[in-house]
Amino acid sequence: IIGMLIAHLGTGHVVPGGWGEQWMWIFDGRSSALFATLAGVSIALMTRSITHDDSLGWRRARVKIAIRAAILLPLGIALQLLGTPVVVILVAYSVMFLMTLPVLRLPSRWLLAIAGAVVIIGPVVVLGLRDLTTGTVGPTTVNFGFGWGELVTGYYPAGIWIAYLLVGMVVGRGALASRPYAAKLVAVGVVVAAAGYGLGKVLLGTVTTGDYPADVLFWPDVLLSTEPHSSSTFEVVGNIGVALSGIGLCLLATSGRVGALALSPLAAAGSMSLTIYSVQLVVLAILGDDAVWYPQSNVPLIALALASIAFAWGWRAILGQGPLERLLKVASDASASRVGR
């Protein structure tokens, strides 16, 4: 959540950038990729107690996820109608939630195999279709795209981004309370990130088109890009590595009582990410487009981040689950409870 706030409001992404321009770029693209990976973790947490032969339990889980997708779709469209210069991810989330339904019961090795196939084949198909149908490899659909935009031409193309959710589902099935497991996530994440970004950089530096260097803004050179939201294999692999390391570090930091207590305000914000994400867009609509495109300082960023954390911490202490999170749970649980044998 804080990473996305930095990507939206921070001065580091402005040229010439302000304070933080040397490190704020780290959050561009990677925050939303972590967001998507954590969505897969959430799905795993919803289903990890269901035994393989519990058909009724799996049916109810599918209904829960489908209802959440059905709620996220109009919510995402409503937030898009605010007209902020931020690309809303919730509609793409809705599509990706539905895409997970057929594979919920698959073993982790199959989920990883599918994710691997998506990471390798998805960019070729999605970016190729973009170039063929729109004349550019960049995203062209900003708002609701009637399925095609969410799968192919949007900023979060589900035809590629579903890999993040699948990896997150595998992560969420692991021993999240185990320090060795958390340390393994960090180590694997570092290796995967280095391999993705590093190999992409090396290949990009060696490939030329005639007498000119590779240009990642065009097909097929974009397939070697590691730039945020380029959706290439190397960017996605690098993002997955960052997500794994980030999750592992957070698990390690909160594995003890002191760490868990010290980071409880951040945990509260994370527990109601949908609410904070949605409110953030309302605030951006009030501040106006210039707050995103031409930020004069990081004061709005810091104020919104601190206010979000304080709100979440107080709400969780007094009322528990966040308002929009409670809506999703009540609606999905009520629908699932009606599923009979």
Side-chain angles (χ1 to χ4, degrees):
I1 289 296
I2 294 176
M4 283 191 287
L5 289 177
I6 291 173
H8 297 158
L9 281 173
T11 59
H13 63 274
V14 181
V15 181
W19 176 81
E21 63 180 335
Q22 298 301 318
W23 59 268
M24 279 188 176
W25 65 271
I26 294 173
F27 296 93
D28 285 339
R30 298 171 183 86
S31 298
S32 48
L34 174 58
F35 205 34
T37 305
L38 287 172
V41 174
S42 298
I43 291 175
L45 294 178
M46 290 172 59
T47 58
R48 62 184 292 160
S49 63
I50 306 174
T51 59
H52 184 73
D53 57 352
D54 185 3
S55 298
L56 177 60
W58 287 109
R59 288 172 59 192
R60 286 176 171 169
R62 290 191 180 95
V63 170
K64 286 184 179 181
I65 295 170
I67 292 298
R68 290 172 184 237
I71 294 175
L72 289 178
L73 178 62
L75 175 60
I77 294 174
L79 292 175
Q80 289 173 345
L81 293 176
L82 293 175
T84 63
V86 172
V87 183
V88 180
I89 196 174
L90 298 185
V91 177
Y93 255 23
S94 176
V95 173
M96 288 186 280
F97 275 17
L98 295 178
M99 292 173 70
T100 66
L101 298 183
V103 300
L104 283 182
R105 298 178 66 171
L106 289 182
S108 294
R109 64 180 181 275
W110 280 105
L111 293 180
L112 288 177
I114 295 172
V118 170
V119 169
I120 295 171
I121 301 172
V124 177
V125 174
V126 170
L127 297 177
L129 286 173
R130 282 182 178 179
D131 187 65
L132 183 65
T133 58
T134 67
T136 177
V137 294
T140 54
T141 302
V142 177
N143 294 323
F144 180 56
F146 300 95
W148 177 256
E150 286 66 49
L151 286 168
V152 177
T153 59
Y155 275 75
Y156 312 105
I160 298 173
W161 279 59
I162 187 62
Y164 295 127
L165 271 77
L166 296 176
V167 171
M169 289 170 64
V170 174
V171 171
R173 291 176 176 180
L176 297 176
S178 166
R179 289 180 64 88
Y181 180 73
K184 182 179 179 181
L185 286 178
V186 175
V188 171
V190 169
V191 172
V192 171
Y197 297 138
L199 187 57
K201 290 287 188 182
V202 169
L203 291 177
L204 189 62
T206 59
V207 173
T208 58
T209 303
D211 296 327
Y212 300 95
D215 191 337
V216 297
L217 298 178
F218 298 94
W219 176 269
D221 296 349
V222 65
L223 295 175
L224 302 178
S225 176
T226 57
E227 292 299 311
H229 295 295
S230 62
S231 296
S232 73
T233 294
F234 301 102
E235 190 233 351
V236 173
V237 170
N239 289 349
I240 289 174
V242 171
L244 293 178
S245 295
I247 294 170
L249 287 172
C250 287
L251 290 174
L252 286 174
T254 56
S255 61
R257 295 183 62 182
V258 174
L261 180 61
L263 296 176
S264 60
L266 292 178
S271 72
M272 53 189 75
S273 55
L274 178 61
T275 297
I276 294 177
Y277 177 82
S278 302
V279 171
Q280 168 212 175
L281 294 175
V282 175
V283 172
L284 290 178
I286 295 173
L287 293 177
D289 292 0
D290 285 355
V292 175
W293 292 124
Y294 310 107
Q296 300 301 309
S297 74
N298 285 310
V299 171
L301 163 64
I302 296 172
L304 185 55
L306 293 178
S308 298
I309 294 170
F311 164 79
W313 198 22
W315 181 286
R316 192 183 194 189
I318 299 172
L319 299 174
Q321 198 169 30
L324 290 182
E325 288 73 17
R326 190 183 301 274
L327 168 65
L328 288 183
K329 179 174 174 54
V330 170
S332 60
D333 286 355
S335 299
S337 67
R338 294 188 177 91
V339 178
R341 294 185 182 276

